């Protein structure tokens, strides 16, 4: 083996604590940043809550000074790749998204069986509760039994040593209880139990016949066969079908959610005097500043105050990092709103092709910076609260429109089609070509699949009145 010495040159970027903090603050969502600031206020005495002015919407003028002071640091973290390893959480995931039970109100179980038993415990005897728990353990999350009732009753008699009648009585109580349709043998029994809770009339009686005897015909949307089987007039049949469609196929209710389970917009945009204006939503975040009292006291202090000076430097880095984040978010959003004014004015079909590189070039930063600052951030518009990523759109190959706009056009054409003559994919492509948008039939099929819309032959729904003739 021959030993050798070789010289090699390499280039690397040393990440300072300030740089790491700037990157982390840049990709935090509004709830994450609020938590970060409150934790900083608790552990660092050099920071204080800025209560001088009421927090509200802040425009670009309020960030110019802070941006100029911090601009020299932008080039460093601007060129970094996506640093998922630099933060404990991903910039695209809000707190609580990994655990759906975190959004359920305190004291409410995520298991619907436990919630129901807690409700029944107020009125049911302990022996009946035990039988109810046995039935619920053999009920799927859809609310239907995971087997035939007769077989399950035989199993329960052998296991619990109770009469078959006692088990069936408890099942019927669950079936017709506060959650009607629960523990049903099939969809027909589930829907029939829900119908029993409604006032008795001719429409309910007709709906009972459909779910008991003609559920398969209803599922096939065979309107003519259903009308003939029922032997009733068309109007009565229509009312019975509408009543069935108003029922819940899954009798298990969703858990009660917290009142504050909603998206908090980071940016607000509104049209004033014919001009779209962008403002940061300052009401969502606490405003922090350096404590002037502590800073002045530290400047004249004697002795070893290195620990306090370290806290002061940390506080300055945090305030500067927040200013950089807010300025980058505001400038990015201003470019997005400027490029997508037609979308804000006219809707989804007017959304223009826009890429990360185009926005990055407009604000003088790297694509990775734009990606971080727009991930997990939301903007409140007159058209609703949207994720900033929604304002980006890929250009359709060979066209001057975006794929998102064409998808919206496809949906509009399908929504407006006559029920008895749905539009085929080739027909939709031809209609779009008349509007100057030339796409292939397979592209229409792809967008239709993404919209979860069935093919034309499956969308055809002849009316009962037309078939009865």
């Amino acid at each position: 083996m021959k030993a050798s010495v070789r010289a090699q040159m390499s280039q690397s970027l040393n990440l300072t604590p300030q740089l790491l903090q700037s990157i982390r603050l840049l990709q935090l969502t509004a709830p994450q940043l609020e938590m970060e600031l409150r934790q900083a206020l608790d552990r660092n005495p050099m920071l204080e809550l800025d209560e001088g002015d009421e927090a509200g919407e802040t425009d670009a003028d309020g960030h110019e000074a802070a941006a100029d002071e911090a601009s020299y640091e932008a080039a460093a973290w601007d060129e970094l790749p996506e640093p998922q390893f630099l933060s404990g959480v991903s910039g695209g995931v809000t707190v609580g998204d990994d655990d759906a039970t975190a959004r359920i109100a305190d004291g409410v179980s995520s298991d619907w069986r436990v919630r129901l038993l807690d409700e029944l415990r107020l009125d049911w005897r302990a022996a009946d509760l035990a039988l109810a728990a046995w039935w619920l353990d053999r009920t799927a999350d859809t609310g239907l039994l995971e087997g035939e009732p007769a077989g399950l009753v035989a199993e329960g008699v052998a296991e619990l040593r109770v009469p078959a009648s006692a088990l069936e009585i408890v099942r019927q109580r669950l079936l017709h209880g506060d959650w009607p349709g629960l523990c049903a043998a099939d969809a027909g029994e589930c829907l029939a139990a829900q119908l029993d809770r409604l006032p008795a009339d001719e429409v309910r009686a007709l709906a009972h016949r459909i779910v008991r005897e003609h559920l398969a015909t209803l599922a096939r949307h065979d309107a003519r066969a259903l009308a003939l089987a029922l032997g009733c007039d068309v109007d009565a049949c229509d009312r019975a079908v509408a009543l069935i469609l108003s029922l819940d196929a899954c009798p298990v209710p969703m858990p009660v959610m917290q009142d504050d389970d909603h998206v908090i917009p980071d940016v607000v945009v509104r049209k004033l005097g014919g001009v779209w204006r962008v403002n940061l939503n300052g009401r969502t975040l606490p405003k922090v500043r350096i404590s002037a009292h502590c800073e002045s006291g530290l400047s004249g202090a004697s002795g070893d105050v290195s620990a306090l000076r370290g806290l002061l430097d940390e506080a300055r880095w945090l305030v500067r990092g927040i200013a950089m984040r807010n300025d980058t978010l505001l400038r990015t959003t201003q470019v997005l709103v400027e490029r997508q004014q037609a979308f804000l004015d006219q809707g989804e079909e007017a959304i223009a092709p826009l890429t990360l590189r185009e926005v990055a070039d407009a604000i003088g930063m790297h694509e990775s910076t734009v990606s971080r600052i727009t991930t997990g951030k939301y903007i409140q518009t007159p058209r609703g609260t949207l994720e900033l990523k929604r304002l980006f759109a890929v250009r359709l190959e060979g066209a001057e429109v975006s794929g998102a706009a064409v998808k919206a056009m496809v949906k509009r054409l399908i929504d407006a089609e006559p029920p008895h003559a749905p539009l085929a994919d080739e027909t939709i492509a031809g209609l779009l070509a008349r509007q100057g948008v030339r796409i292939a039939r397979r592209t229409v099929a792809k967008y239709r699949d993404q919209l979860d819309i069935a093919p034309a032959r499956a969308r055809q729904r002849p009316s009962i009145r037309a078939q009865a003739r």
Side-chain angles (χ1 to χ4, degrees), residues 316-376:
R316 287 171 176 168
W317 296 340
L318 178 62
V319 173
R320 176 178 296 179
I322 294 172
M324 292 173 59
R325 173 195 183 273
N326 292 343
D327 176 74
T328 305
L329 176 60
L330 187 60
R331 289 198 291 149
T332 301
T333 308
Q334 284 176 327
V335 174
L336 289 173
V337 171
E338 179 183 346
R339 301 291 179 88
Q340 298 295 3
Q341 289 188 30
F343 162 72
L344 295 174
D345 287 327
Q346 304 171 26
E348 193 76 26
E349 293 187 23
I351 189 168
L354 187 62
T355 63
L356 291 173
R357 178 176 294 277
E358 292 174 332
V359 176
D361 292 342
I363 65 175
M365 291 188 174
H366 194 265
E367 292 178 55
S368 62
T369 302
V370 178
S371 177
R372 291 188 191 97
I373 201 62
T374 55
T375 300

Side-chain angles (χ1 to χ4, degrees), residues 72-148:
Y72 76 93
E73 291 186 2
W77 52 261
D78 187 44
E79 298 296 332
L80 292 177
E82 291 292 345
Q84 302 298 337
F85 60 92
L86 296 175
S87 174
V89 294
S90 171
V93 180
T94 57
V95 176
D97 278 353
D98 291 337
D99 183 10
T101 61
R103 301 191 298 271
I104 299 175
D106 295 339
V108 178
S109 174
S110 60
D111 190 338
W112 60 269
R113 299 170 181 85
V114 176
R115 299 201 308 272
L116 177 58
L117 289 173
D118 288 341
E119 295 179 11
L120 299 180
R121 190 171 287 111
L122 300 175
D123 302 317
W124 286 39
R125 298 182 305 170
D128 293 338
L129 277 175
L131 299 182
W134 187 90
W135 278 113
L136 295 180
D137 287 340
R138 286 148 184 82
T139 303
D141 289 337
T142 58
L144 304 182
L145 293 177
E146 296 178 328
E148 291 295 330

Side-chain angles (χ1 to χ4, degrees), residues 117-318:
L117 289 173
D118 288 341
E119 295 179 11
L120 299 180
R121 190 171 287 111
L122 300 175
D123 302 317
W124 286 39
R125 298 182 305 170
D128 293 338
L129 277 175
L131 299 182
W134 187 90
W135 278 113
L136 295 180
D137 287 340
R138 286 148 184 82
T139 303
D141 289 337
T142 58
L144 304 182
L145 293 177
E146 296 178 328
E148 291 295 330
L152 293 175
V153 167
E155 178 186 342
V157 169
E159 179 181 339
L160 303 176
R161 305 292 182 182
V162 295
S165 59
L167 277 169
E168 183 59 26
I169 288 174
V170 170
R171 188 180 82 88
Q172 291 296 326
R173 293 179 66 183
L174 292 172
L175 181 65
H176 299 280
D178 292 335
W179 297 6
L182 189 65
C183 297
D186 51 34
E189 188 177 36
C190 174
L191 296 174
Q194 297 180 49
L195 288 172
D196 289 339
R197 302 289 293 264
L198 303 177
D201 55 19
E202 295 181 359
V203 177
R204 194 191 78 165
L206 193 59
H208 254 298
R209 290 182 55 194
I210 294 176
V211 299
R212 289 292 191 185
E213 305 170 9
H214 307 289
L215 193 60
T217 306
L218 177 65
R220 291 196 304 268
H221 302 284
D222 194 342
R224 182 177 182 182
L226 184 61
L228 293 176
L230 292 173
C232 64
D233 60 86
V234 176
D235 292 336
C237 182
D238 287 339
R239 290 194 296 270
V241 171
L243 180 60
I244 295 173
L245 294 178
S246 68
L247 303 177
D248 196 344
C250 178
V252 179
M254 295 296 294
V256 179
M257 309 301 287
Q258 292 183 359
D259 294 336
D260 59 350
D261 185 30
H262 59 274
V263 172
I264 301 176
D266 302 82
V267 191
V268 178
V269 59
R270 58 171 59 92
K271 197 170 188 178
L272 300 174
V275 179
W276 288 100
R277 299 187 180 276
V278 181
N279 304 94
L280 293 179
N281 187 9
R283 296 183 178 89
T284 62
L285 298 176
K287 299 179 65 176
V288 296
R289 65 185 179 188
I290 306 296
S291 174
H293 174 73
C294 294
E295 188 176 17
S296 60
L298 186 60
S299 61
S302 59
D304 187 9
V305 292
S306 58
L308 293 178
R309 294 192 184 278
L311 290 174
L312 180 60
D313 290 339
E314 179 183 338
R316 287 171 176 168
W317 296 340
L318 178 62

